[in-house]
């Protein structure tokens, strides 16, 4: 059981808590009542605000809509006024621009194009809005007049400022590729920069607004004429320079004014002059006489004008490439891209056709020269053909995009030159073989025949054109391998050809040598010619080319030379046989000679003296131009004769075979040697 005191305390505690809870509940009830009152007040305020807001909205919205309509009306009025001003301006375009159009674009291109833009817009407006308006015809007429003025200005600018490129500048341009010392590239200014910009502006306007392509024809005609005249001017420059100074020149490029060029020789193509110089060197060393004739026109008599023509043509070809490249760069700035190739094709036709025609004329001249056996003229084809083939890659690049007929012109000319060159080579070989000159114009002194010098000169010329000549021969091959021949194949063909010419020459010389009645003179003739051929082959390095297909050629010529020397030496047997030991009488020393023995000795002395005098007189007029060979043959013959005569004189010089020994013993041993030393010397 809980004690009474604890129970009483517990009850009081519960009663206190209950009283507190009742107070809290009373507080919450009072708060809720206040909250309800506040809510009612707020709802009342909001309801009043909503009512007022609705009244305001009903008043403002009509005002806003009315204002918006007024603003729209104002904008429409402004736009209408603006359109009216714009339309009215089109009616004033003609009067505003007529004076400018009438005066033309010269010196005021920017302003002029601005006026044309206004006229263009007026035309478009009237066409769209008032096609029957008289104003349309007026502005259209003004537009056409303005377009014609621009076309005329384009022509005028191109005509007045397009200048022929001077030969001096062209030669600078050509030599710039090869001159390693050049400090700067040579550039061509076809039009002044300000003029160029005007021309570009006009061309673009004519394409975009003028719908006109006639100016492109004007452009190519003017530039074509300048290109053609520039190349012809270069050719004339060569002729004038060659006639005045003998050598055309090209001015040095770096740090030189164009109007004060420094002369320097133009690089000469490999013409026959080099071979002629070699021939002159051989002449100075006594290797040729060339007194004999031939039906071949002498190469060393070749007119220098051929070299001038050849050089001029070669430089004109290079000039065409450089000038055409420059023309295309200029054209690319002025002519629309899709018209550039066609316009360029038309632009270069006259100059290109001129070059091709001149090339065909060279081929035609070569063809005629072959008929008359003038192979010096034919040789002009070689440097030209070589240059054309070297230049062909640049040609192809320049002509890229042109018509097929344009691209095929150079290959066609190359083919023609290869064909005529191959024919010239074959005909030359045949003429060497069949040269009919056997009885007339043969060298009386047995020196080198002109046929030999011409043949060697021609072959020496081929050294400068080995690839070209080899390609000529290869182009005529019918085998499938010839279509893709290599340089080695061409070299072998050329070696075979040279061996053929030398073989034909040797056969012809053998035939000609039979004209001489004296076998000794025939031997001297063959010796001189063989020796000249061998020395020429060695000095001009032809021997290396011959050795490609004929390894023993040098040894063979040396054997032929020795054989002819031996044949010549046999001519002295009729002299030495008189005093040879085998033909002398045998007698006892101290025993008086019989009349028959004395007579034999007299006959031997007389036969020797007469033979010696006769041979020395005859052979003195013969010639051995090669001093080394001449001294060698003299020395060998002198040794043989002196030894034989010395032995004979020692044996019979003191024998009393005659009362007048001076009548028979006319020469001492040294005198005989001196006489032989004067052989082959017409000046002695």
């Amino acid at each position: 059981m809980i004690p009474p005191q604890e129970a009483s305390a517990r009850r009081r505690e519960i009663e206190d808590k209950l009283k507190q809870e009742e107070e809290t509940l009373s507080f919450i009830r009072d708060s809720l009542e206040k909250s309800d009152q506040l809510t009612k007040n707020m709802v009342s305020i909001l309801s009043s605000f909503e009512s007022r807001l609705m009244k305001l909205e009903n008043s403002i919205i009509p005002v806003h809509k009315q204002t918006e309509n007024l603003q729209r009306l104002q904008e429409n009025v402004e736009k209408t006024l603006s359109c009216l001003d714009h339309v009215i301006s089109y009616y004033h375009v003609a009067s505003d621009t007529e004076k400018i159009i009438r005066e033309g674009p010269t010196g005021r291109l920017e302003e002029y194009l601005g006026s044309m833009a206004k006229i263009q817009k007026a035309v478009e407006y009237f066409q769209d809005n008032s096609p029957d308006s008289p104003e349309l015809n007026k502005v259209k007429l003004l537009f056409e007049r303005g377009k014609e003025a621009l076309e005329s200005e384009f022509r005028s600018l191109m005509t007045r400022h397009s200048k022929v490129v001077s030969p001096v500048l062209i030669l600078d341009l050509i030599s710039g590729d090869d001159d390693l010392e050049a400090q700067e590239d040579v550039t061509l200014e076809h039009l002044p920069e300000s003029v160029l910009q005007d021309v570009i502006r006009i061309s673009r306007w004519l394409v975009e607004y003028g719908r006109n392509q006639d100016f492109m024809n004007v452009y190519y005609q003017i530039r074509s004429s300048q290109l053609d005249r520039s190349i012809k001017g270069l050719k004339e420059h060569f002729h004038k320079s060659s006639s005045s100074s003998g050598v055309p020149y090209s001015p040095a490029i770096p740090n030189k004014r164009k109007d004060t060029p420094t002369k320097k020789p133009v690089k000469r193509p490999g013409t026959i002059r080099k071979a002629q110089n070699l021939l002159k060197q051989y002449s100075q060393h006594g290797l040729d006489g060339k007194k004999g004739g031939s039906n071949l026109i002498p190469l060393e008599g070749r007119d220098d004008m051929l070299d001038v023509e050849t050089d001029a043509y070669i430089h004109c070809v290079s000039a065409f490439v450089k000038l055409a490249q420059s023309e295309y760069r200029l054209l690319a700035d002025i002519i629309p891209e899709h018209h550039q190739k066609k316009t360029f094709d038309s632009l270069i036709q006259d100059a290109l056709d001129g070059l091709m025609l001149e090339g065909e004329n060279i081929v035609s001249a070569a063809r005629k020269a072959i008929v008359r056996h003038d192979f010096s003229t034919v040789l002009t084809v070689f440097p030209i053909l070589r240059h054309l083939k070297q230049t062909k890659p640049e040609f192809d690049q320049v002509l890229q995009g042109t018509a097929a007929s344009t691209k095929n012109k150079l290959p066609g000319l190359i083919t023609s030159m290869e064909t005529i060159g191959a024919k010239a080579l074959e005909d030359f070989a045949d003429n060497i073989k069949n040269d009919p000159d056997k009885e007339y114009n043969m060298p009386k002194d047995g020196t080198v025949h002109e046929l030999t010098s011409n043949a060697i000169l021609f072959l020496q010329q081929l050294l400068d054109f080995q690839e070209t000549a080899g390609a000529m021969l290869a182009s005529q091959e019918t085998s499938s391998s010839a279509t893709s021949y290599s340089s080695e194949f061409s070299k072998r063909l050329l070696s075979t050809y040279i061996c053929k010419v030398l073989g034909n020459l040797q056969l012809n010389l053998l035939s000609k040598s039979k004209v001489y009645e004296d076998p000794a003179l025939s031997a001297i003739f063959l010796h001189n010619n063989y020796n000249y051929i061998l020395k020429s082959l060695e000095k001009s390095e032809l021997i290396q080319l011959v050795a490609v297909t004929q390894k023993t050629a040098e040894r063979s010529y040396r054997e032929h030379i020795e054989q002819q020397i031996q044949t010549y030496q046999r001519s002295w047997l009729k002299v030495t046989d008189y005093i040879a030991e085998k033909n002398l009488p045998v007698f006892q020393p101290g025993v008086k000679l019989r009349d028959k023995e004395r007579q034999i000795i007299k006959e031997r002395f007389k036969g020797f003296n007469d033979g010696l005098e006769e041979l020395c007189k005859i052979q003195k007029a013969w010639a051995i131009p090669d001093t080394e060979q001449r001294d060698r043959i003299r020395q060998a013959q002198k040794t043989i004769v002196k030894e034989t005569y010395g032995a004979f004189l020692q044996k019979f010089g003191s024998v009393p075979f005659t009362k007048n020994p001076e009548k028979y013993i006319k020469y001492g041993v040294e005198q005989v040697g001196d006489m032989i030393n004067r052989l082959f010397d017409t000046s002695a």
Side-chain angles (χ1 to χ4, degrees):
M1 281 190 65
I2 299 173
Q5 290 180 349
E6 289 181 10
S8 177
R10 180 71 176 168
R11 187 171 56 254
R12 282 194 302 270
E13 183 179 353
I14 292 171
E15 288 175 354
D16 289 339
K17 285 183 180 180
L18 181 60
K19 185 178 181 181
Q20 289 176 356
E21 290 295 335
E22 287 176 352
E23 289 176 356
T24 301
L25 180 60
S26 176
F27 176 77
I28 291 173
R29 189 178 293 111
D30 292 339
S31 296
L32 285 174
E33 288 176 357
K34 290 179 181 180
S35 177
D36 287 342
Q37 185 62 40
L38 289 173
T39 298
K40 289 177 181 180
N41 291 339
M42 182 60 69
V43 169
S44 176
I45 292 171
L46 289 175
S47 297
S48 175
F49 180 76
E50 182 179 7
S51 175
R52 293 179 181 181
L53 187 61
M54 288 180 64
K55 289 179 180 181
L56 180 62
E57 183 178 353
N58 292 333
S59 300
I60 292 300
I61 286 177
V63 174
H64 175 73
K65 288 182 178 180
Q66 187 177 7
T67 303
E68 189 178 68
N69 290 335
L70 290 173
Q71 288 177 342
R72 189 177 296 111
L73 289 173
Q74 184 180 1
E75 289 176 0
N76 290 340
V77 170
E78 291 176 353
K79 287 181 179 179
T80 302
L81 291 174
S82 176
C83 288
L84 286 173
D85 290 339
H86 183 66
V87 170
I88 291 171
S89 69
Y90 288 132
Y91 286 86
H92 295 291
V93 165
S95 59
D96 291 343
T97 59
E98 186 174 7
K99 181 181 178 182
I100 297 175
I101 299 303
R102 185 175 62 251
E103 292 175 353
T106 304
R108 54 195 298 183
L109 181 61
E110 195 68 33
E111 181 183 4
Y112 194 89
L113 291 178
S115 297
M116 289 299 294
K118 293 178 181 179
I119 297 171
Q120 172 73 14
K121 291 179 180 179
V123 170
E124 293 173 355
Y125 170 79
F126 288 119
Q127 283 178 337
D128 294 339
N129 298 281
S130 185
D132 298 329
S133 170
E135 293 295 330
L136 175 60
N137 293 331
K138 191 173 183 180
V139 291
K140 285 179 75 172
L141 181 62
L142 194 60
F143 182 82
E144 290 300 322
R145 189 187 306 167
K147 184 171 73 171
E148 291 174 2
L150 284 172
E151 293 171 358
S152 177
E153 179 70 3
F154 183 89
R155 179 187 294 273
S156 176
L157 288 174
M158 291 299 303
T159 302
R160 284 188 288 115
H161 297 281
S162 290
K163 305 296 182 184
V164 173
V165 183
S166 71
V168 171
L169 190 56
I170 294 176
L171 289 173
D172 274 346
L173 191 67
I174 295 172
S175 62
D177 288 346
D178 302 323
D179 195 343
L180 298 179
E181 298 178 358
Q183 300 295 317
E184 58 183 21
D185 293 334
V186 179
T187 57
L188 299 179
E189 185 182 67
H190 295 291
L191 297 172
E193 184 61 28
S194 60
V195 174
L196 176 60
Q197 294 305 318
D198 286 351
V199 168
I200 292 173
R201 290 288 306 278
I202 294 174
S203 69
R204 290 178 179 175
W205 188 93
L206 289 173
V207 171
E208 186 175 356
Y209 301 108
R211 306 292 191 270
N212 188 327
Q213 297 181 8
D214 292 343
F215 77 95
M216 300 180 196
N217 296 333
V218 171
Y219 177 86
Y220 90 71
Q221 289 168 0
I222 294 173
R223 294 308 308 170
S224 176
S225 174
Q226 300 303 327
L227 175 61
D228 192 39
R229 289 170 59 193
S230 296
I231 294 176
K232 289 178 179 177
L234 178 63
K235 184 178 179 181
E236 292 173 4
H237 172 77
F238 268 82
H239 292 163
K240 291 178 182 177
S241 298
S242 63
S243 61
S244 61
S245 62
V247 180
Y249 66 87
S250 173
I253 296 174
N255 302 323
K256 295 289 190 295
R257 289 181 57 188
K258 299 307 176 194
D259 56 346
T260 57
T262 300
K263 289 188 178 181
K264 70 176 182 181
V266 173
K267 293 184 178 180
R268 308 288 288 176
T271 60
I272 188 131
R273 184 165 293 143
K274 179 179 178 181
Q276 289 176 343
N277 292 336
L278 285 172
L279 183 62
K280 290 177 182 177
Q281 293 174 10
Y282 302 160
S283 301
Q284 292 168 0
H285 289 83
L287 280 182
D288 71 299
K290 303 191 300 301
K291 294 181 181 178
S294 168
N295 71 327
L296 297 174
I297 295 177
L299 299 182
E300 67 270 20
R302 183 172 181 257
D303 190 349
D304 283 344
M305 282 307 295
L306 285 176
D307 274 345
V308 174
E309 291 291 341
T310 300
D311 289 352
Y313 185 74
I314 286 174
H315 283 81
C316 284
V317 169
S318 295
F320 172 81
V321 173
K322 295 297 181 184
L323 292 176
Q325 289 172 341
S326 183
E327 287 292 345
Y328 192 83
R329 288 192 291 269
L330 177 66
L331 176 145
D333 290 332
I334 298 173
I335 304 300
E337 184 176 358
H338 53 288
H339 292 286
Q340 289 174 4
K341 294 295 183 183
K342 182 179 179 181
T343 305
F344 180 71
D345 197 342
S346 301
L347 189 155
I348 62 174
Q349 284 304 313
D350 286 348
L352 181 59
D353 286 344
L355 285 177
M356 295 302 107
L357 178 60
E358 192 172 348
E360 290 297 340
N361 289 340
I362 292 171
V363 172
S364 178
R367 188 176 291 110
K368 294 176 182 177
I370 291 174
V371 174
R372 63 177 185 270
H373 302 153
D374 178 11
F375 292 96
S376 62
T377 301
V378 178
L379 285 171
T380 60
V381 171
F382 285 74
I384 292 173
L385 177 58
R386 180 177 66 180
H387 187 71
L388 289 179
K389 294 179 107 175
Q390 289 173 344
T391 313
K392 187 176 181 298
E394 285 188 276
F395 244 99
D396 292 342
Q397 185 176 7
V398 169
L399 301 183
Q400 187 177 7
T402 58
S405 58
T406 303
K407 294 178 183 177
N408 292 335
K409 287 180 179 179
L410 180 64
L413 179 58
I414 289 176
T415 300
S416 296
M417 287 194 171
E418 282 190 332
T419 302
I420 199 66
K423 178 171 175 54
L425 291 175
E426 292 303 321
D427 280 24
F428 183 82
D430 291 341
N431 275 278
I432 293 296
K433 180 179 180 180
N434 302 318
D435 180 59
D437 185 17
K438 295 180 181 178
E439 298 181 3
Y440 302 101
N441 296 321
M442 287 290 289
K444 295 179 180 180
D445 56 2
T447 190
V448 177
H449 198 280
E450 191 171 24
L451 177 70
T452 302
S453 62
N454 280 347
I456 293 300
L457 195 57
F458 188 89
L459 295 180
Q460 287 168 348
Q461 172 64 4
L462 298 185
L463 281 175
D464 284 338
F465 307 103
Q466 294 184 39
E467 292 186 8
T468 303
M472 285 178 177
L473 296 170
S475 69
Q476 305 304 306
E477 291 290 311
T478 56
S479 62
S480 58
S481 61
T483 58
S484 57
Y485 53 84
S486 63
S487 58
E488 185 64 28
F489 176 74
S490 298
K491 191 173 184 179
R492 290 189 65 82
L493 281 179
L494 183 58
S495 176
T496 301
Y497 171 77
I498 292 175
C499 292
K500 176 183 177 181
V501 172
L502 293 175
N504 290 349
L505 178 61
Q506 186 172 341
L507 291 174
N508 200 319
L509 290 173
L510 283 171
S511 178
K512 290 182 187 299
S513 69
K514 295 176 183 178
V515 171
Y516 297 110
E517 295 179 359
D518 191 335
L521 181 55
S522 177
I524 290 296
F525 172 76
L526 290 176
H527 164 272
N528 284 333
N529 281 272
Y530 290 156
N531 183 63
Y532 175 83
I533 293 171
L534 178 60
K535 291 295 178 67
S536 299
L537 292 178
E538 291 174 337
K539 286 182 178 291
S540 64
E541 299 179 358
L542 271 170
I543 196 68
Q544 286 90 337
L545 196 54
V546 170
V548 172
T549 55
Q550 198 172 98
K551 304 291 185 184
T552 61
E554 185 175 1
R555 185 180 67 188
S556 177
Y557 274 110
R558 295 194 188 282
E559 290 174 353
H560 288 319
I561 291 169
E562 291 302 319
Q563 186 179 14
Q564 298 310 317
I565 292 175
Q566 293 173 13
T567 301
Y568 161 76
Q569 289 176 340
R570 285 198 288 270
S571 68
W572 282 84
L573 290 177
K574 64 182 180 181
V575 176
T576 56
D577 277 354
Y578 280 105
I579 57 175
E581 183 72 27
K582 61 181 180 180
N583 296 325
L584 295 177
V586 179
F587 62 92
Q588 296 295 327
V591 178
K592 186 178 179 180
L593 295 175
R594 291 174 294 178
D595 290 342
K596 182 178 180 181
E597 291 173 338
R598 286 196 297 270
Q599 186 62 33
I600 290 174
I601 294 173
K602 290 178 182 179
E603 290 176 355
R604 295 293 183 268
F605 269 108
K606 186 177 186 304
F608 172 79
N609 292 335
D610 291 345
L612 176 67
E613 291 170 357
E614 180 185 2
L615 283 186
C616 286
K617 180 181 179 181
I618 292 173
Q619 295 184 8
K620 177 184 175 182
W622 296 355
I624 300 179
D626 186 339
T627 55
E628 182 182 342
Q629 286 291 315
R630 182 169 64 237
D631 293 343
R632 176 192 169 199
I633 292 174
R634 281 174 177 171
Q635 186 61 41
Q637 199 58 54
K638 185 169 63 174
T639 300
I640 295 172
V641 176
K642 283 177 66 176
E643 287 179 356
T644 306
Y645 182 63
F648 177 77
L649 195 61
Q650 184 179 7
K651 188 171 184 178
F652 295 100
S654 58
V655 174
F657 64 93
T658 179
K659 294 179 180 179
N660 301 307
E662 65 277 0
K663 178 180 178 181
Y664 296 98
I665 307 176
K666 296 173 66 174
Y667 305 105
V669 175
E670 293 304 321
Q671 283 181 291
V672 171
D674 291 340
M675 292 173 70
I676 294 175
N677 271 339
R678 290 194 291 272
L679 297 179
F680 317 116
D681 188 358
T682 56
S683 63

